[in-house]
């Protein structure tokens, strides 16, 4: 007596747990996550949890990561898991959203006033130093006003700096500073 047995896997994988949504700020994303994701290391996101599946047979779990952030660091990271066993049975999809929020904590340090010796060339004038700008789109410009008649100097340049953070333009700005640096160019008295 012969018997032919046809084994079929009719049980699909089961989603046991799906990680809850998470929230981070853009500084954390740029400092801790961005480079790792660019290198293809999606495991850097496992700190926010992982999907867990069970099945009676082996299964393959695929993860897809989609980063959707604007230049200011606002947006989401979407992680989507899918599980399938060799029988073609598929589990429920697990999707986790990681919300990334913009943080505006940048600081501008304007250059000190300087005095230079009169020469044929204009002196090198330092620019403002901006720190903690990883989540910002900062533009710097200036406008010079020249004064030709100045006591004890060849001439004087008053430089007015304009610093715009394009990530907060239009928002309520809680502090505005107007900085006017002055540069005196003194002649050499012989």
């Amino acid at each position: 007596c012969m018997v032919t047995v046809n084994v079929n896997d009719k049980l699909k994988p089961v989603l046991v747990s799906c990680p809850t949504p998470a929230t981070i700020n853009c500084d954390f994303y740029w400092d801790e996550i961005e480079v790792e994701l660019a290198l293809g290391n999606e495991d850097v996101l496992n700190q926010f949890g992982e999907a867990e599946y069970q099945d009676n047979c082996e299964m393959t779990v695929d993860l897809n990561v989609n980063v959707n952030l604007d230049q200011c660091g606002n947006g989401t990271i979407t992680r989507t898991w899918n599980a399938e066993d060799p029988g073609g049975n598929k589990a429920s999809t697990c999707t986790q959203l990681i919300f990334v929020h913009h943080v505006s904590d940048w600081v501008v340090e304007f250059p000190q006033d300087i005095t230079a010796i009169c020469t044929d060339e204009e002196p090198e004038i330092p620019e403002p130093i901006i720190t903690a700008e990883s989540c910002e789109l900062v533009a710097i410009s200036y406008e010079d006003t020249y004064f030709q008649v100045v006591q004890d100097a060849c001439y004087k340049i008053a430089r007015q700096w304009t610093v715009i953070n394009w990530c907060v333009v239009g928002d309520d700005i809680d502090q505005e500073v107007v900085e006017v640096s002055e540069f005196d160019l003194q002649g050499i008295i012989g």
Side-chain angles (χ1 to χ4, degrees):
C1 176
M2 287 181 61
V3 176
T4 302
V5 177
N6 189 8
V7 178
N8 289 319
D9 180 8
K10 301 208 183 252
L11 297 176
K12 63 182 180 178
V14 175
L15 175 62
V16 176
S17 68
C18 188
T20 58
T23 301
I24 60 174
N25 67 43
C26 55
D27 284 329
F28 184 79
Y29 173 77
W30 301 127
D31 294 342
E32 305 292 330
I33 297 174
E34 179 193 29
V35 172
E36 292 295 322
L37 286 180
L39 295 173
N41 181 14
E42 295 174 346
D43 291 343
V44 70
L45 297 173
N46 289 348
Q47 60 189 306
F48 304 109
E50 296 181 67
E52 184 182 342
Y53 289 94
Q54 286 182 344
D55 194 21
N56 60 328
C57 298
E58 291 183 18
M59 66 182 154
T60 303
V61 178
D62 292 319
L63 170 62
N64 181 32
V65 176
N66 181 29
V67 178
N68 184 19
L69 298 180
D70 65 18
Q71 293 175 325
C72 298
N74 279 315
T76 57
I77 302 170
T78 305
R79 301 167 73 200
T80 306
W81 289 268
N82 291 298
E84 184 176 352
D85 64 21
N89 300 311
K90 297 179 181 180
S92 300
T93 298
C94 167
T95 301
Q96 179 193 36
L97 287 175
I98 301 170
F99 298 95
V100 183
H101 294 289
H102 173 260
V103 174
S104 191
D105 56 358
W106 61 296
V107 176
V108 178
E109 183 181 332
F110 290 97
Q112 298 292 322
D113 293 348
I114 63 170
T115 300
I117 303 298
C118 261
T119 62
D120 292 338
E121 295 180 14
E122 203 170 275
E124 181 89 17
I125 300 172
E127 294 205 3
I129 298 170
I130 300 175
T131 55
E133 81 283 3
S134 61
C135 296
E136 313 300 339
L137 283 175
V138 178
I140 301 173
S141 63
Y142 62 86
E143 187 173 320
D144 286 342
T145 304
Y146 289 85
F147 298 94
Q148 299 296 334
V149 179
V150 181
Q151 184 176 357
D152 297 329
C154 297
Y155 60 93
K156 179 177 178 176
I157 303 170
R159 177 165 286 180
Q160 182 171 351
W161 296 99
T162 302
V163 179
I164 297 174
N165 180 356
W166 290 106
C167 291
V168 296
V169 167
D171 291 348
D172 291 333
I173 298 174
D174 57 358
Q175 183 179 5
E176 183 176 314
V177 177
V178 175
E179 178 72 22
V180 178
S181 298
E182 293 184 355
F183 307 100
D184 291 331
L185 300 175
Q186 296 180 346
I188 300 173
I189 300 173

